[in-house]
């Protein structure tokens, strides 16, 4: 396996709006992040992924970009951004920017010009189509609710938007669009960043006929078949690689919702020069009921989750590719509320999940607050929600008469809404969790009195300290980075177990995903003599692994084998 800095890095994702507010306007900002660089250093991470900070009207919190070459006023200015980059680099922490290539804001200059006239040279930057005002051109559903087609009164035509109507899709089949995008990417690269996270990048190539689709995909949306991993996708990635990444030591990370195994294995095949790693979505859709995220979570089995992790490791290693590993981010529920037990075993189950993230193969991505075991939020009214996806869907269901009030979808919103992950970072037990001196743009979770950086710094057994130990162990034992992944106990419904092996080093990860004691014999082929405990989240009398061992509820252990 070829050595690369981005394979060895532990990534920390910052959602700037919710991280730290420096000027009391209730909105996190770049100077606020600078105040916390010491904390990032203390945690031990190597790379920061910053969610979009470009100028934006903020329909979708920065994923609707108005100007790619300007910083959002609320976050600061270019000087603040440069200072942050320097502060990070001074500590040996790299920085990647979130880039949004699939769509712009409707307030972007390109869209404004393209809307004005059919003859505009920008017309073909987007998907404009003639049609009947009353009937959209195809049956595709927007991921944020409603049709993907918006009738534009000014242009008297429809335009396509896979996300909100404020996020028109760019037409990547137009070579001018592609070269503009590469130019912007290079402009940022030249400022000294270390790579990009590329937003919904496997959606950029659409089927030229935009045909109807009759099956609903995992988001409950029709149309995905004709734009996920679309017809020209590999060509566009190769071109982007050549134009932007080829002569740089920078990383290209694709966010690839609903990616197929076939396409995914190609994206990360180093010989094809497309992307370096991708975020696959199987483990964040498998627990949804058919019809998407507005239904209760499906009962899921641990074997299903294990199968997904194991399968994607095969998919990527077949071509010598690499995984990006994550259990939560700004679009997903808090990991401990989704995959763990945020009531009785919050600390323990967050530590089990942390051990999975940090010891399975691939580059681990920690989402802000995850390292504290932050949880979902107990929303009680739609007025507490900020996310365009949640609000649009709620209004749509109300309009269609499917629901009358919030209570009817309360538990689904408390589980799935993206706002669960977007409540402010909990720094202290004090007012607004130390996030702001003003009125926060979104409520602070009431559990901040118990779950916060200040308290967890002092508590040796906290989730935070456990993350720090795991990060250290990853640095110390390179087998955790480059070792082969070998699942064990694949049929077991309580224990997630696997080996990492390289030359004469090996580790064994054993995770009890249940709230019961679990008695277990040592897997065959592993000798009792050569087992050394590196880390556990429960006190242990000795470090030995006897012939039969009992794993306590949500117990995590990491062993080193001789
Ligand atoms: C990605 C982002 C998400 C955003 C969407 C549209 O999935 O992670 O936050 O809403 O793309 O840009
Ligand atoms: Ca602020």
């Amino acid at each position: 396996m070829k050595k690369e800095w981005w394979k060895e890095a532990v990534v920390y994702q910052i959602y700037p709006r919710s991280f730290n507010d420096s000027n009391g306007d209730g909105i996190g900002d770049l100077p606020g992040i600078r105040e916390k660089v010491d904390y990032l250093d203390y945690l031990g991470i190597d790379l920061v992924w910053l969610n979009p900070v470009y100028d934006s009207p903020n329909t979708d919190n920065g994923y609707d970009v108005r100007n790619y070459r300007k910083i959002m006023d609320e976050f600061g200015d270019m000087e603040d951004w440069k200072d942050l980059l320097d502060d990070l680099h001074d500590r040996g922490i790299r920085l990647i920017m979130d880039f949004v290539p699939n769509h712009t804001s409707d307030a972007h200059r390109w869209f404004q010009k393209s809307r004005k006239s059919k003859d505009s040279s920008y017309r073909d930057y987007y998907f404009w189509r003639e049609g009947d005002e009353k009937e959209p051109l195809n049956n595709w559903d927007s991921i944020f609710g409603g049709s993907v087609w918006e009738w534009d009164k000014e242009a008297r035509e429809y335009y396509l938007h896979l996300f909100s109507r404020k996020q028109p899709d760019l037409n990547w089949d137009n070579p001018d669009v592609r070269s503009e995008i590469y130019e912007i990417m290079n402009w940022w690269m030249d400022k000294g960043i270390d790579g990009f996270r590329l937003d919904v990048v496997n959606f950029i190539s659409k089927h030229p006929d935009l045909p109807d689709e009759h099956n609903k995909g995992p988001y409950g949306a029709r149309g995905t078949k004709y734009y996920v991993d679309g017809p020209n996708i590999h060509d566009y990635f190769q071109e982007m690689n050549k134009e932007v990444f080829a002569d740089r030591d920078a990383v290209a990370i694709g966010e690839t919702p609903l990616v197929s195994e076939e396409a995914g294995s190609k994206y990360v095949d180093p010989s094809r020069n497309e992307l370096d790693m991708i975020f696959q979505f199987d483990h964040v859709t498998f627990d949804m009921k058919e019809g998407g995220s507005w239904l209760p979570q499906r009962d899921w089995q641990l074997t299903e989750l294990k199968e997904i992790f194991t399968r994607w490791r095969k998919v990527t290693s077949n071509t010598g590719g690499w995984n990006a590993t994550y259990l939560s981010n700004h679009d997903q529920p808090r990991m401990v509320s989704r995959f763990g037990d945020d009531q009785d075993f919050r600390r323990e189950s967050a530590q089990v999940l942390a051990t999975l993230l940090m010891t399975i193969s691939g580059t681990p991505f920690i989402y802000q607050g995850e390292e504290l075991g932050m949880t979902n939020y107990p929303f009680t009214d739609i007025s507490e929600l900020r996310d365009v996806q949640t609000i649009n869907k709620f209004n749509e269901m109300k309009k269609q008469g499917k629901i009358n009030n919030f209570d009817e979808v309360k538990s689904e919103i408390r589980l799935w809404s993206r706002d669960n992950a977007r409540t402010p970072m909990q720094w202290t037990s004090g007012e607004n969790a130390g996030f702001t001196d003003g009125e926060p743009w979104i409520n602070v979770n009431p559990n901040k009195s118990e779950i916060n950086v200040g308290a967890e710094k002092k508590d040796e057994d906290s989730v935070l300290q456990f993350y720090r130990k795991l990060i250290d162990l990853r640095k110390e034992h390179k087998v955790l980075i480059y070792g082969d992944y070998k699942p064990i106990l694949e049929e077991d419904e309580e224990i997630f177990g696997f080996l990492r092996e390289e030359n004469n080093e090996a580790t064994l990860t054993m995770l009890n995903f249940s709230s019961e004691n679990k008695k277990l014999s040592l897997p065959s082929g592993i000798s009792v003599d050569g087992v050394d405990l590196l880390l556990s989240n429960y006190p242990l009398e000795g470090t030995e692994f006897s012939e039969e061992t009992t794993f306590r509820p949500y117990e995590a252990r990491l062993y080193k084998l001789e």
Side-chain angles (χ1 to χ4, degrees), residues 51 60 63 100 103 144 163 167 197 199-200 255 257 281 330-331 418 422:
N51 282 100
D60 188 19
Y63 284 98
V100 191
H103 44 268
F144 290 171
F163 295 88
Q167 293 165 295
R197 176 261 189 192
D199 188 60
V200 292
E255 188 212 17
F281 270 57
H330 66 293
D331 294 326
R418 305 193 299 177
R422 299 176 181 184

Side-chain angles (χ1 to χ4, degrees), residues 369-467:
E370 174 188 312
E371 79 278 21
L372 309 176
M374 275 178 66
T375 67
N376 279 0
Y377 184 95
F379 295 105
T380 54
D381 192 84
I382 193 70
S383 62
E384 293 172 317
L385 278 298
R386 298 287 175 272
D387 169 29
V388 59
Q389 181 175 37
T390 310
I391 295 170
N392 280 3
K393 275 267 192 181
F394 179 81
N395 290 338
E396 190 188 348
M397 285 171 86
K398 245 183 125 173
K399 207 164 128 194
Q400 293 169 345
K402 289 185 184 152
I403 54 166
N404 295 308
N405 59 48
F406 187 79
D407 281 349
E408 291 168 58
V409 278
K410 184 170 83 182
S411 54
E412 288 72 37
I413 287 181
R414 285 180 173 192
L415 172 65
W416 297 114
S417 171
R418 305 193 299 177
D419 279 336
N420 286 295
R422 299 176 181 184
T423 64
M425 178 74 179
Q426 293 163 208
W427 296 103
T428 69
S429 59
E431 205 172 342
N432 296 323
F435 163 71
T436 179
D437 296 332
E439 192 63 37
W441 71 279
I442 186 170
N443 288 350
V444 173
N445 198 310
N447 63 23
K448 53 118 190 180
S449 34
E450 179 200 339
I451 306 169
N452 62 74
V453 172
E456 298 199 22
K457 268 189 172 174
K458 285 185 226 135
D459 175 3
E460 262 315 297
D461 297 326
S462 65
V463 181
L464 176 60
Q465 299 305 345
F466 204 74
Y467 267 88

Side-chain angles (χ1 to χ4, degrees), residues 21-29 74:
D21 174 23
S22 71
N23 62 353
D25 66 355
I27 297 169
D29 46 51
E74 291 170 329

Side-chain angles (χ1 to χ4, degrees), residues 44 81 89 114 192 386 435 531 557:
W81 179 84
H89 280 174
S114 112
R386 298 287 175 272
F435 163 71
V531 176
R557 294 192 205 171

Side-chain angles (χ1 to χ4, degrees), residues 52-325:
V53 294
Y54 316 102
D55 175 46
S56 162
N58 275 314
T59 292
D60 188 19
N61 288 354
Y63 284 98
D64 45 326
V65 180
R66 180 166 47 204
N67 184 347
Y68 291 95
R69 291 183 168 92
K70 187 175 179 283
I71 298 292
M72 188 188 302
D73 286 338
E74 291 170 329
F75 290 172
D77 58 22
M78 201 53 94
E79 214 170 300
D80 296 318
W81 179 84
K82 185 75 179 103
D83 289 342
L84 174 62
L85 178 71
D86 292 344
D87 285 359
L88 291 170
H89 280 174
D90 284 350
R91 308 292 174 106
I93 299 173
R94 291 180 159 96
L95 176 69
I96 57 173
M97 296 289 276
D98 203 324
F99 194 75
V100 191
N102 180 68
H103 44 268
T104 66
S105 162
D106 64 346
H108 193 287
R109 171 177 65 87
W110 300 337
F111 188 76
Q112 295 293 323
K113 289 189 174 164
S114 112
R115 162 188 270 165
K116 282 243 147 57
S117 123
K118 278 191 182 170
D119 307 322
S120 160
S121 56
Y122 289 93
R123 188 68 165 191
D124 198 34
Y125 271 42
Y126 297 87
F127 293 89
W128 287 103
R129 294 289 184 276
E130 292 174 350
D132 171 354
E133 197 174 333
K134 284 181 199 72
E135 207 191 334
L137 295 190
N138 67 21
N139 70 354
W140 298 4
D141 303 302
S142 157
I143 289 159
F144 290 171
S147 166
V148 297
W149 294 102
E150 175 75 6
W151 177 257
D152 189 71
K153 286 204 190 90
E154 193 181 328
R156 302 209 52 79
E157 283 196 2
Y158 279 104
Y159 65 86
L160 177 92
H161 60 91
L162 296 182
F163 295 88
S164 94
R165 63 191 178 82
K166 301 293 211 179
Q167 293 165 295
D169 280 57
L170 283 166
N171 174 15
W172 270 69
D173 298 329
N174 179 345
D176 292 341
V177 168
R178 302 203 301 275
S179 62
E180 294 243 31
I181 293 282
Y182 305 147
E183 206 183 300
I184 298 165
M185 291 173 81
N186 278 314
W187 187 83
W188 279 101
M189 285 285 195
D190 291 341
K191 291 190 179 296
I193 63 169
D194 302 289
F196 287 110
R197 176 261 189 192
L198 299 157
D199 188 60
V200 292
V201 73
N202 64 328
F203 289 8
I204 57 177
S205 170
K206 277 88 174 165
H207 188 294
D209 303 334
L210 311 172
D212 276 354
E213 185 186 6
H214 297 290
N215 298 323
K216 292 200 172 200
Y219 295 128
R222 292 165 298 192
T224 53
K225 183 175 168 194
Y226 298 111
Y227 60 80
V228 172
D229 309 322
N232 300 320
I233 195 75
H234 297 291
D235 290 343
Y236 296 162
F237 286 171
Q238 285 170 8
E239 186 182 70
M240 179 192 287
N241 190 290
K242 191 167 126 264
E243 297 295 329
V244 182
F245 294 93
D247 300 318
R248 306 181 191 263
D249 189 17
V251 67
I253 307 167
E255 188 212 17
T256 53
L258 315 182
V259 58
S260 74
E261 289 169 34
E262 196 202 335
S265 70
K266 288 185 177 162
Y267 296 158
V268 297
D269 175 347
S271 70
R272 295 177 59 90
N273 295 316
E274 297 189 14
L275 304 171
D276 294 314
M277 50 178 140
I278 55 168
F279 294 111
Q280 60 81 20
F281 270 57
D282 287 354
H283 67 298
V284 293
T285 49
F286 85 109
D287 56 340
M288 291 179 177
K289 290 199 169 138
E290 212 174 305
S293 59
W294 282 70
L295 295 165
Q297 190 179 27
R298 182 172 76 75
D299 280 333
W300 54 274
Q301 308 281 308
L302 187 63
T303 45
E304 296 176 84
L305 191 66
K306 297 200 281 191
E307 186 274 331
I308 292 168
F309 275 94
T310 300
R311 178 157 44 82
W312 274 96
R313 269 143 194 85
K314 275 194 204 127
V315 168
T316 52
S317 62
N318 280 345
T319 58
W322 195 253
N323 282 283
T325 314

